[in-house]
């Protein structure tokens, strides 16, 4: 048997999703964004929703998410993605409307829009990347930065007495009646990727079925910002991030 | 236009005109003196009839970003506010202009700065026509001076916004918003279907179909060479607007020795001051800019050769007077008279100012 016998359709076990564009990604090697983008592309493709999908990109590392997925996108002002998504879904109730936001975008500057949209129970999905740091601007402290964690604006480590505690915004959101799904996932192992994908699909189904607001938090690595290798970052996330941001469903109705 | 003549406030006329025009969505936050707009919409409940979405947002920041989301879908969307709220919206307005999104904004101005007063003012002229947000952009700006024009400019605003893919603003104030006058509302129009919007707005984000590339609405361009080209495109568009869309009203200018320049409620006061002046034998007329951007520089410049002076009357510290001076270009005298902080000047004091600053100066 030579290689040509092996490369055949029936032997295909993995392929790049059709909705991922053929462009180089700007994300750092080891960053979680690429995996999450791929999962979103797979889910939209599997649900057959390319012509109904409208993604809302944030300001932050994912500001150019629109370059990577072959769907219609809107690029929001910093923190305002849930406001855009609110209007899009209200005006186009048959569409799949999702936002893709980082921790600074969703839990600092956009806290108001996030909580109010979720409290109204807008029928949107929110994909929330929590890596505890501002990646795009060069590693500053985020609302989700851990206690004692060093960043470029907390060089001695986050001091909770002056900067407050890590904001567990998903716990807050899970309390709101408008929220139907609040789940915390990760993408650092194959099993975790599978679970995260299931939850992204559920969130998108909730949007299409008008069940309310779904938030899928992905506890993520930022190895560049954390100044670690990708594998060190994965280990550090498990040891330090997961105790503060434990994985699992906070709400799933 | 409907044959029925109704009596209502300017704010109410905007709300009813929006429903009848086939607006898809209104997003707003209460603030005096314009809350009647959202109250009238909520009372009329157009989601039961035309399907129009009306949503009370959590802030003006959310409102303007909801407008951004809806406009990105090619929908007819609008918001309204008053001065402090409009300040909060400036970032969003810059994004709308930078992403070339059509929408209608309404500012029912009140006195500032800061929380200021709830009484009428025209002190947001600079903010509106000189760019209150960041970057080189322009807002198509309409200045109604009657309840009828409040109703009519909803349609005109949307038409211009979609013609040029640019936000349009109705810049009015608490006098025009709150006063009651006779009005004939426009006839009902059907809201556009998604198919019609896809045809009219091929750029709209309504879901990527196999026959086209993805539509991406963004104001971001990190490559300065391309961003400069974007800016050149915007500027070329703005020059087209300036060439095609200047609107103004000339009132008794033919024989005038002196001309008032005033917009909105100040123009109504000047109208009465003209009558008083003419009773005393002074030949006074008025140029009323209807578009504040693009500004009617040419007509002012033409009259500058003929008249002995211009008095700009504004309910602010003298903002539009700078544009009048640009139009006059030194050919004759230009002075300003106005009141601030929510005070509406009377016609008598305007006439006194004309005599002191222009006629007898």
């Amino acid at each position: 048997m030579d290689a040509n016998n092996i490369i055949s359709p029936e032997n295909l076990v993995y392929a790049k999703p059709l909705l991922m564009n053929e462009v180089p990604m700007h994300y750092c090697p080891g960053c979680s964004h690429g995996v999450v983008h791929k999962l979103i592309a797979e889910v939209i493709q599997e649900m057959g929703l390319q012509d109904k999908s409208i993604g809302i990109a944030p300001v932050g590392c994912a500001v150019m998410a629109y370059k990577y997925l072959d769907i219609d996108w809107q690029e929001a002002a910093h923190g305002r993605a849930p406001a855009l998504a609110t209007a899009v879904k209200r005006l186009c109730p048959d569409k799949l409307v999702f936002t893709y936001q980082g921790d600074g975008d969703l839990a600092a500057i956009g806290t108001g829009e996030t909580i109010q949209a979720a409290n109204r129970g807008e029928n949107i999905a929110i994909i929330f990347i929590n890596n505890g740091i501002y990646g795009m601007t060069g590693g500053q402290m985020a609302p989700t930065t851990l206690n004692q964690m060093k960043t470029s604006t907390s060089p001695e480590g986050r001091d909770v007495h002056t900067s407050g505690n890590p904001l567990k915004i998903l716990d807050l959101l899970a309390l709101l009646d408008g929220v139907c799904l609040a789940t915390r996932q990760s993408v650092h192992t194959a099993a975790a990727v599978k679970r995260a994908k299931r939850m992204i699909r559920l969130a998108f189904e909730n949007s299409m079925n008008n069940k309310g607001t779904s938030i899928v938090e992905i506890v993520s690595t930022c190895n560049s910002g954390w100044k670690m290798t990708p594998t060190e970052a994965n280990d550090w996330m498990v040891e330090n991030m997961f105790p503060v941001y434990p994985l699992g469903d906070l709400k799933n109705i | 236009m409907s044959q029925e003549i109704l009596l209502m406030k300017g704010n109410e006329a905007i709300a009813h005109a929006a429903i009848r025009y086939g607006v898809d969505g209104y997003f707003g936050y209460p603030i005096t003196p314009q809350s009647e707009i959202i109250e009238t919409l909520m009372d009329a409940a157009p989601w039961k009839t035309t399907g129009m979405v009306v949503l009370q947002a959590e802030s003006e920041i959310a409102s303007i970003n909801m407008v951004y989301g809806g406009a990105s879908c090619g929908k007819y969307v609008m918001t309204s506010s008053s001065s402090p709220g409009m300040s909060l919206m400036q970032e969003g307005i810059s994004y709308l202009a930078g992403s070339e999104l059509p929408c209608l904004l309404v500012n029912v101005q009140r006195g500032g700065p800061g929380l200021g007063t709830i009484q009428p003012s025209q002190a947001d002229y600079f903010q509106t026509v000189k760019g209150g947000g960041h970057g080189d952009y322009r807002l198509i700006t309409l200045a109604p001076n009657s309840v009828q024009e409040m109703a009519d400019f909803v349609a005109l605003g949307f038409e211009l916004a979609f013609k040029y893919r640019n936000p349009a603003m109705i810049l009015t104030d608490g006098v025009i918003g709150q006063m009651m006058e006779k009005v004939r509302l426009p006839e009902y129009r059907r809201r556009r279907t998604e198919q019609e919007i896809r045809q009219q707005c091929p750029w709209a984000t309504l879901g990527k179909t196999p026959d086209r590339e993805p539509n991406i609405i963004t104001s971001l361009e990190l490559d300065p060479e391309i961003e400069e080209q974007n800016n050149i495109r915007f500027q070329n568009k703005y020059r087209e607007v300036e060439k095609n869309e200047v609107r103004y009203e000339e009132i008794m200018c033919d024989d005038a020795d002196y001309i008032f320049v005033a917009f909105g409620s100040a123009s109504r006061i000047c109208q009465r001051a003209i009558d008083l002046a003419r009773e005393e034998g002074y030949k006074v007329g008025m140029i009323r800019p209807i578009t504040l951007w693009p500004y009617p520089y040419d007509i002012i410049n033409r009259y500058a050769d003929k008249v002995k002076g211009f008095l700009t009357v504004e309910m602010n510290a003298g903002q539009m007077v700078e544009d009048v001076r640009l139009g006059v270009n030194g050919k004759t005298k230009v002075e300003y008279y106005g009141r601030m902080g929510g005070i509406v000047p009377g016609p008598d004091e305007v006439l006194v100012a004309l005599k002191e600053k222009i006629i007898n100066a």
Side-chain angles (χ1 to χ4, degrees):
Chain A
M1 184 183 280
D2 65 13
N4 287 327
N5 296 115
I6 299 168
I7 304 169
S8 61
E10 63 270 22
N11 286 335
L12 183 68
V13 292
Y14 183 81
K16 185 174 165 183
L18 295 173
L19 298 189
M20 290 296 286
N21 293 326
E22 287 289 342
V23 290
M25 274 197 166
H26 75 282
Y27 297 116
C28 306
C31 164
S32 309
H33 275 301
V35 179
V36 182
H37 281 26
K38 185 201 72 168
L39 296 182
I40 292 171
E42 283 180 354
V43 169
I44 293 173
Q45 184 183 323
E46 286 163 18
M47 292 175 74
L49 290 176
Q50 183 187 23
D51 62 346
K52 287 196 180 302
S53 294
I54 299 164
I56 317 286
V59 170
C61 278
V63 68
M64 284 178 286
Y66 52 74
K67 287 192 172 176
Y68 307 128
L69 266 68
D70 190 23
I71 58 168
D72 282 357
W73 282 93
Q74 302 177 10
E75 209 293 299
H78 198 19
R80 315 303 172 209
L84 274 67
T86 293
V88 175
K89 186 66 178 176
R90 296 262 184 146
L91 292 161
C92 312
D94 64 323
K95 308 294 184 203
L96 169 66
V97 182
F98 70 94
T99 72
Y100 188 103
Q101 302 175 260
D103 39 55
D105 193 87
L106 180 140
I109 195 167
T111 312
E113 282 75 10
T114 304
I115 289 179
Q116 296 290 342
N119 191 50
R120 288 190 302 263
E122 301 294 344
N123 296 308
I124 59 174
I126 295 174
I127 311 299
F128 168 35
I129 305 297
N130 176 10
N131 56 17
I133 203 161
Y134 283 75
M136 181 62 112
T137 45
Q140 293 83 10
M141 183 175 62
T144 49
T145 295
L146 302 182
N147 186 16
Q148 297 304 314
M149 185 172 162
K150 288 185 178 173
T151 71
S152 67
T153 51
S154 58
E156 301 296 316
R158 180 178 188 147
D159 179 353
V160 297
H161 299 293
T162 54
S163 300
N165 288 285
L167 181 53
K168 298 171 191 172
I169 195 160
L170 192 73
D171 299 55
L172 246 158
L173 291 165
L175 295 172
L176 303 175
D177 290 339
V179 172
C180 61
L181 174 67
T183 184
R184 194 181 280 126
Q185 302 292 329
S186 72
V187 291
H188 67 301
T189 64
V193 168
K194 281 183 108 171
R195 280 193 296 272
K197 182 177 172 182
R198 270 205 302 277
M199 284 302 155
I200 291 170
R201 175 155 185 147
L202 178 59
F204 285 8
E205 287 170 352
N206 287 343
S207 170
M208 294 307 288
N209 295 330
N210 296 333
K211 276 187 70 177
T213 307
S214 300
I215 306 112
V216 181
E217 175 176 339
I218 312 282
V219 182
S220 300
T221 58
C222 176
N223 45 288
S224 297
W226 295 356
K227 304 190 193 315
M228 296 174 193
T229 66
T231 49
E232 284 169 357
N234 274 347
D235 294 342
W236 192 89
M237 174 176 72
V238 173
E239 284 168 31
N240 298 281
M241 295 280 281
F242 288 180
V244 181
Y245 304 110
L247 305 189
D249 292 354
L250 279 69
K251 190 177 194 179
N252 185 354
I253 52 176
Chain B
M1 192 173 294
S2 169
Q3 292 305 306
E4 192 182 8
I5 296 172
L6 301 166
L7 180 70
M8 64 175 68
K9 290 185 178 185
N11 288 336
E12 294 165 346
I14 282 187
H16 288 297
I19 297 168
R20 286 165 175 251
Y21 186 69
V23 170
D24 297 298
Y26 171 95
F27 307 92
Y29 186 79
I31 181 171
T32 308
Q34 63 80 55
S35 296
E36 293 87 355
I37 297 177
I38 188 167
E39 287 171 350
T40 303
L41 286 168
M42 288 296 186
D43 192 50
W47 53 91
K48 295 177 186 167
T49 52
T50 70
M52 177 183 179
V53 169
V54 185
L55 180 60
Q56 180 172 334
E58 65 269 30
S59 68
E60 289 89 350
I61 295 173
S63 303
I64 195 72
N65 285 284
M66 289 172 183
V67 166
Y68 185 102
S72 297
C73 298
K75 303 279 183 177
Y76 287 143
V77 284
M78 63 182 291
T79 186
S80 64
S81 190
S82 181
S83 308
M86 227 64 218
S87 294
L88 277 172
M89 293 190 187
Q90 294 302 315
E91 181 203 34
I93 293 171
S94 172
Y95 276 66
L96 285 157
S99 298
E100 295 188 90
L101 291 173
C103 61
L104 182 65
L105 317 168
V106 181
N107 181 0
V108 186
Q109 297 166 89
R110 56 190 253 183
L115 199 51
T117 170
I118 58 172
Q119 301 300 325
S121 167
Q122 297 180 321
D124 301 347
Y125 180 89
F126 281 155
Q127 183 194 61
T128 311
V129 305
K130 307 297 181 189
H134 57 284
D136 281 314
Y137 74 89
R138 293 289 188 174
L139 270 186
I140 297 166
T141 307
L142 304 171
N145 82 340
S146 65
V147 172
Q148 185 63 55
E149 283 190 345
M150 291 284 263
D152 295 346
F153 287 1
V154 170
L156 179 60
F158 274 113
E159 279 159 23
L160 294 174
F162 274 77
K163 183 174 176 185
Y164 294 100
R165 276 192 67 181
N166 202 69
M169 166 81 87
I170 294 177
L171 184 69
T172 182
D173 61 65
V175 173
I176 309 292
Q178 296 286 332
M179 73 182 183
M180 296 182 85
E181 280 187 323
K182 287 185 289 188
V183 59
R184 287 168 64 189
L185 294 171
E187 297 288 356
Y188 280 96
R189 284 166 24 126
R190 181 178 58 79
R191 282 175 56 244
R192 297 161 304 155
T193 64
E194 179 175 325
Q195 207 49 43
E196 287 167 342
I197 296 173
R198 282 182 183 271
Q199 281 166 5
Q200 287 169 15
C201 309
W203 45 266
T205 53
L206 288 164
K208 180 196 177 299
T209 46
D211 57 330
R212 66 160 169 84
E213 293 297 304
N215 283 338
I216 295 164
I217 302 292
T218 182
S219 58
L220 175 70
E221 180 47 67
L222 292 179
D223 182 342
E225 302 278 346
I226 301 174
E227 184 59 359
E228 184 177 48
Q229 289 306 313
N230 287 344
N231 269 273
I232 289 169
R233 191 175 75 250
F234 301 159
Q235 293 301 320
N236 289 341
K237 176 170 82 175
Y238 301 152
R239 299 298 88 77
E240 279 297 300
V241 177
E242 287 167 350
K243 200 169 74 186
N244 301 330
E245 306 301 345
V246 172
R247 286 167 170 77
Y248 56 86
E249 184 184 10
E250 289 174 64
I251 298 161
M252 305 178 85
C253 287
D254 288 345
D255 66 340
D257 293 323
Y258 309 99
I259 287 183
F260 288 126
V261 186
F263 67 94
S265 50
S267 71
R268 298 287 292 264
I269 297 152
C270 288
Q271 183 102 42
R272 176 69 186 139
I274 289 171
D275 296 342
L276 297 177
R278 285 190 176 255
E279 282 169 19
E280 294 185 26
Y282 300 110
K283 291 178 181 168
V284 180
M286 173 163 59
I287 295 169
R288 172 173 80 96
I290 293 172
T291 51
L292 300 180
W293 186 83
Y295 195 77
Y297 294 109
D298 287 351
I299 187 69
I300 289 172
N301 189 270
R302 264 181 276 155
Y303 277 106
D305 293 320
K306 295 202 276 183
V307 301
K308 296 173 185 167
F310 290 85
L311 184 71
T312 306
V313 180
E314 307 173 64
M315 283 147 56
N316 57 40
Q319 301 189 13
M320 184 179 71
V321 66
E322 295 186 5
D323 283 318
V324 178
R325 290 200 171 109
L326 282 174
V328 170
N329 202 15
K331 287 178 181 172
T332 187
K333 209 177 332 181
V334 179
E335 295 294 341
Y336 142 86
Y337 179 73
R339 300 292 297 270
M340 294 171 284
I343 298 288
V344 179
D348 294 335
E349 62 183 286
V350 168
L351 181 56
V352 169
L354 178 69
K355 289 178 190 170
E356 286 180 359
K357 290 172 178 261
I358 303 285
I359 298 175
N360 302 324

